[in-house]
């Protein structure tokens, strides 16, 4: 991993995936090394210093880029190193805003990539020859991989291990790291629960109930009873806090859960439709096409073309 000054310490969580891979496999599958421009000591965002090796090509199999929470400055020495070594390195990956480092080296030209959702437009403007995909938590484009955020770097690293040694080992690593969500590369960066972001405990409780009981009709009366207010008061408060009607919010939760199940498994579409409250596969298909422009079958096909990680069994 190449780190920049003020790197976010969570970048090292991606390295932990390879460390745990060695432990779970019972053999040394990966050797880990931290590099920095000029070598020596590099300070992280917490103020602690990390000892780094200099940028010397030692025949690396995989290079990862770890930076801080702001777009890193262009470092000609790092760009030159990446340009020189990329052709001899099996794959190069960025974590969060590390995608800008890849872009500065010209490695995103003609490639797909992602980055943190708040910097997507900036990535497009700065590297117009890159196909920026802000709908995925990590993207693989040939030898170039990129993750949307710091924690998504863990998902990306699991995808790398899965490519090398299969899904079973990736699942063992996830279990060993006590990761309790299964996140495919195609999963959206955005969470419906975070976007709705209700302030009061009552509305939060109603949303949590809805998410746990998507196969139910989830009427205003049912949600209002959970919130312990009248249906009229509930509707008014819900819209004031979330900017959506309860029906719109429930539809968003249904779609998010259904999309996750469609992309990440082989469950029949009619079963997913029933379990998420759409009722039947055709109604679910229409909802997907309206929201995403793609049918569930198209999304599943795309997801199968993207490395997956099974987090927790």
């Amino acid at each position: 991993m190449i780190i920049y000054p003020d790197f976010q310490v969570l970048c090292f969580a991606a390295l932990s995936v390879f460390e745990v891979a060695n432990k779970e496999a019972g053999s040394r599958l990966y050797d880990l090394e931290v590099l920095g421009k000029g070598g020596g000591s590099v300070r992280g965002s917490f103020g602690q210093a990390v000892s780094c090796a200099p940028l010397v090509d030692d025949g690396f199999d995989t290079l990862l880029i770890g930076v801080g929470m702001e777009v890193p400055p262009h470092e000609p020495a790092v760009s030159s190193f990446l340009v020189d070594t990329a052709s001899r390195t099996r794959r190069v990956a960025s974590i969060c805003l590390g995608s800008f480092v890849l872009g500065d080296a010209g490695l995103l030209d003609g490639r797909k990539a992602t980055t943190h959702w708040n910097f997507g437009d900036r990535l497009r403007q700065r590297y117009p020859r890159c196909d920026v995909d802000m709908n995925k938590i990590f993207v693989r484009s040939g030898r170039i991989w990129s993750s949307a955020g710091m924690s998504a770097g863990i998902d990306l690293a699991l995808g790398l291990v899965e490519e090398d040694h299969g899904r079973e080992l990736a699942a063992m690593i996830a279990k060993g790291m006590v990761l309790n969500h299964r996140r495919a590369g195609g999963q959206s960066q955005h969470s419906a629960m975070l976007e709705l972001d209700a302030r009061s405990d009552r509305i939060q409780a109603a949303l949590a109930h809805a998410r746990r009981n998507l196969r139910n009709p989830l009427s205003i009366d049912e949600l209002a009873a959970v919130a312990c207010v009248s249906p009229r008061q509930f509707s008014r408060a819900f819209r004031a806090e979330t900017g959506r009607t309860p029906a719109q919010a429930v539809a968003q939760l249904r779609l998010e859960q259904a999309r996750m199940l469609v992309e990440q498994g082989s469950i029949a579409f009619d079963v997913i439709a029933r379990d998420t409250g759409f009722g039947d596969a055709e109604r679910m298909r229409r909802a997907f096409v309206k929201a995403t422009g793609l049918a569930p079958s198209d999304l599943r096909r795309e997801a199968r073309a993207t490395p997956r990680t099974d987090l927790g069994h």
Side-chain angles (χ1 to χ4, degrees):
M1 177 179 284
I2 300 172
I3 58 172
Y4 272 49
D6 298 319
F7 70 91
Q8 231 290 328
V9 70
L10 192 54
C11 292
F12 284 150
L15 285 186
S16 294
V17 169
F18 302 103
E19 182 183 17
V20 177
N22 290 341
K23 179 178 182 298
E24 294 292 346
S27 62
R28 198 168 186 81
L29 302 178
Y30 299 99
D31 290 316
L32 307 179
E33 191 165 1
V34 181
L35 312 178
K37 187 188 75 170
S41 180
V42 176
R43 289 178 65 84
S45 58
F46 285 6
Q48 80 281 19
V50 174
S51 180
C52 299
L55 295 177
V56 176
D57 184 4
D58 283 339
F60 297 109
D61 172 81
T62 302
L63 287 171
L64 297 112
I65 311 296
V67 300
M69 291 185 285
E70 300 293 336
V71 174
H74 178 212
E75 289 284 359
V78 177
S79 291
S80 177
F81 176 77
L82 290 173
V83 169
D84 184 52
T85 59
S87 62
R88 298 188 297 276
T89 302
R90 184 162 63 99
R91 55 198 178 186
V92 182
S94 64
I95 299 171
C96 197
L97 299 182
S99 52
F100 285 84
V101 177
L102 299 186
D104 285 344
L107 298 182
L108 299 186
D109 291 352
R111 303 275 189 179
K112 278 191 175 184
T114 193
T115 194
H116 189 278
W117 60 267
N118 203 32
F119 293 84
D121 289 342
R122 192 166 171 183
L123 193 70
R124 289 189 184 96
Q125 292 165 6
R126 191 155 159 179
Y127 313 110
R129 295 182 60 191
C130 174
D131 181 3
V132 179
D133 187 346
M134 298 309 298
N135 293 318
K136 295 180 173 63
I137 59 170
F138 70 86
V139 169
R140 177 190 182 182
S141 184
R143 297 182 300 111
I144 306 300
W145 298 55
S146 53
S147 80
M150 295 293 181
S151 64
I154 300 172
D155 303 289
L156 180 149
L158 283 162
L160 295 174
V161 173
E162 181 180 334
E163 180 184 57
D164 295 343
H165 302 289
R167 294 183 63 194
E168 184 177 351
L169 179 60
M172 290 170 62
I173 296 165
K175 185 175 180 180
M177 294 178 72
V178 198
L179 299 168
N180 63 350
H181 291 289
R182 180 185 176 196
R183 304 207 305 176
Q187 184 170 323
S188 172
Q189 294 192 34
H190 303 286
S191 161
M193 289 292 279
L194 287 176
E195 287 183 1
L196 293 167
D197 193 29
R199 296 186 301 275
S200 71
D201 291 344
R202 287 181 172 183
I203 301 301
Q204 287 180 16
L207 281 168
H209 173 83
R211 193 177 192 184
R212 290 193 303 268
N213 298 278
L214 289 173
R215 66 161 54 207
N216 292 356
L218 295 173
S219 65
I220 294 287
D221 288 347
E222 180 180 347
L223 296 175
V226 173
C228 300
V229 295
S230 70
R232 192 175 199 178
Q233 184 181 355
F234 175 77
S235 295
R236 187 167 57 248
F238 192 96
R239 183 152 199 162
E241 291 193 28
T242 68
R244 295 169 175 78
T245 66
Q248 289 170 334
V250 168
Q252 189 175 353
L253 291 170
R254 291 193 201 284
L255 190 69
E256 179 178 78
Q257 179 66 11
R259 179 167 184 164
M260 182 183 72
L261 294 172
V262 164
E263 291 180 336
Q264 297 178 358
S266 57
I267 303 172
F269 292 150
D270 58 340
V271 175
I272 295 173
R274 183 182 68 243
D275 289 348
T276 55
F278 284 103
D280 60 67
E282 175 56 26
R283 189 176 301 170
M284 183 177 75
R285 188 194 69 80
R286 291 198 300 268
F288 270 74
V289 170
K290 182 178 179 181
T292 69
L294 296 172
S297 56
D298 298 323
L299 289 166
R300 178 164 285 178
R301 197 175 302 114
E302 279 192 1
R304 283 174 174 168
T306 304
R308 300 187 301 176
T309 55
D310 288 322
L311 308 191
H313 282 272

